[in-house]
Amino acid sequence: MPRSKRARVVHESKTAKKDHKEQTRRLYANIRECVEEYDHLFLFAVDNMRNTYLKDVRAEFSDSRLFFGKTKVMAKALGNNPETEAAPNLHKLTPYLTGAVGLLFTSRPAQSVVEYFENFRPSDFARAGTEATRSFSIPNGLVYARAGEVPTQEDEPISHTIEPALRKLGVPTRLVKGKVMLELTDGQEGYQVCRKGDTLDSRQTTLMKMFGVTSSEFKVDLKAQWERNTNEIKILEQGEMEVDA
């Protein structure tokens, strides 16, 4: 029996496929244009990547251009050698284009850019698979919302509705007259969630987030700078500028 045409599924919307070649061409062209337009080029690396904070950087430098794309394309746009570089000495930056790095074109004073990124270090919750930068434990007795991270007079007891979730995550809590209590019988002073240097799993990071414990720092490290007026390359280390020999 032939298949009925009435049973055919007709999709009312279609998703256009991304043209990767066009994106690559546009990234290459935009970088080449910025070399001619802006006074400074900073090559930066991102530690503990967070899109939210990268958006804050983009908003702060709305008068500039920030590129965070494929490193091979960015290297090709700058130039891999003196014959193909977009401007003198730019090929010297390509060895630094590895990992989570990007390019910032700006005409702001160079020192103001360096100072901004030295001070822009927002804290965030750690992700599973990262290394714990600190130890964290939940003290015995009445469980507070910040688990000892702030003085008890500035804190408040955790809601009884969260107690089942804590037990599910392995924390030996119980309800006593509507209060969430942690009582360990082995002489420990508290429940150890993690120790500094541990590789965190999802259970540990969930507990840290529940108690508002931030241990990850979003950081943008400026690695190198190029000046259009002098074509000079400077290597930036710990906020200090050193001329590349």
Side-chain angles (χ1 to χ4, degrees):
M1 182 177 178
R3 185 178 179 182
S4 173
K5 292 183 179 180
R6 294 181 181 179
R8 185 175 299 169
V9 177
V10 179
H11 297 284
E12 295 182 355
S13 61
K14 293 184 179 180
T15 303
K17 293 183 179 180
K18 291 184 178 180
D19 189 342
H20 295 289
K21 289 185 178 180
E22 175 60 24
Q23 290 179 334
T24 298
R25 187 201 64 78
R26 190 180 302 115
L27 176 61
Y28 178 93
N30 288 340
I31 291 176
R32 287 270 171 163
E33 290 176 1
C34 288
V35 170
E36 300 295 329
E37 181 178 352
Y38 294 94
D39 294 337
H40 306 286
L41 163 60
F42 289 91
L43 189 151
F44 63 88
V46 179
D47 191 18
N48 291 313
M49 177 63 185
R50 297 291 193 276
N51 286 331
T52 301
Y53 298 131
L54 194 60
K55 287 180 180 178
D56 292 340
V57 174
R58 290 184 183 276
E60 169 64 27
F61 288 90
S62 58
D63 58 346
S64 309
R65 291 293 302 274
L66 188 148
F67 297 96
F68 201 78
K70 292 183 178 180
T71 54
K72 289 184 178 180
V73 178
M74 293 192 293
K76 187 175 181 180
L78 295 180
N80 293 312
N81 52 62
E83 289 72 31
T84 62
E85 62 186 3
N89 292 327
L90 278 181
H91 74 280
K92 296 179 180 179
L93 294 179
T94 56
Y96 299 95
L97 284 167
T98 57
V101 297
L103 302 175
L104 172 64
F105 289 91
T106 183
S107 292
R108 295 187 184 185
Q111 189 58 35
S112 69
V113 176
V114 172
E115 291 175 355
Y116 171 80
F117 285 112
E118 284 179 345
N119 297 319
F120 187 71
R121 303 289 175 89
S123 297
D124 206 338
F125 299 108
R127 291 176 174 174
T130 59
E131 183 178 307
T133 58
R134 52 159 295 181
S135 298
F136 170 60
S137 60
I138 305 171
N140 281 340
L142 181 62
V143 180
Y144 284 85
R146 294 300 311 280
E149 293 295 299
V150 298
T152 54
Q153 61 268 25
E154 300 176 12
D155 207 347
E156 60 182 15
I158 200 168
S159 172
H160 70 278
T161 59
I162 300 177
E163 197 271 339
L166 289 175
R167 279 190 287 108
K168 190 174 182 180
L169 290 168
V171 184
T173 56
R174 63 190 182 97
L175 283 176
V176 179
K177 297 181 180 180
K179 301 291 186 180
V180 182
M181 303 295 295
L182 173 65
E183 297 178 354
L184 299 177
T185 58
D186 55 3
Q188 295 182 2
E189 296 182 358
Y191 178 79
Q192 189 82 46
V193 176
C194 69
R195 290 182 172 85
K196 185 177 180 180
D198 287 350
T199 298
L200 298 171
D201 57 30
S202 59
R203 184 189 67 86
Q204 292 169 309
T205 55
T206 299
L207 283 171
M208 295 173 75
K209 190 171 184 178
M210 288 176 68
F211 288 98
V213 178
T214 59
S215 63
S216 179
E217 184 182 69
F218 175 86
K219 182 170 60 175
V220 174
D221 290 321
L222 300 178
K223 297 296 184 182
Q225 176 197 354
W226 174 82
E227 292 188 21
R228 183 164 59 88
N229 291 336
T230 62
N231 293 319
E232 182 182 11
I233 294 289
K234 295 180 180 180
I235 305 304
L236 310 179
E237 296 180 357
Q238 299 179 356
E240 296 296 331
M241 296 185 182
E242 298 180 1
V243 179
D244 184 12

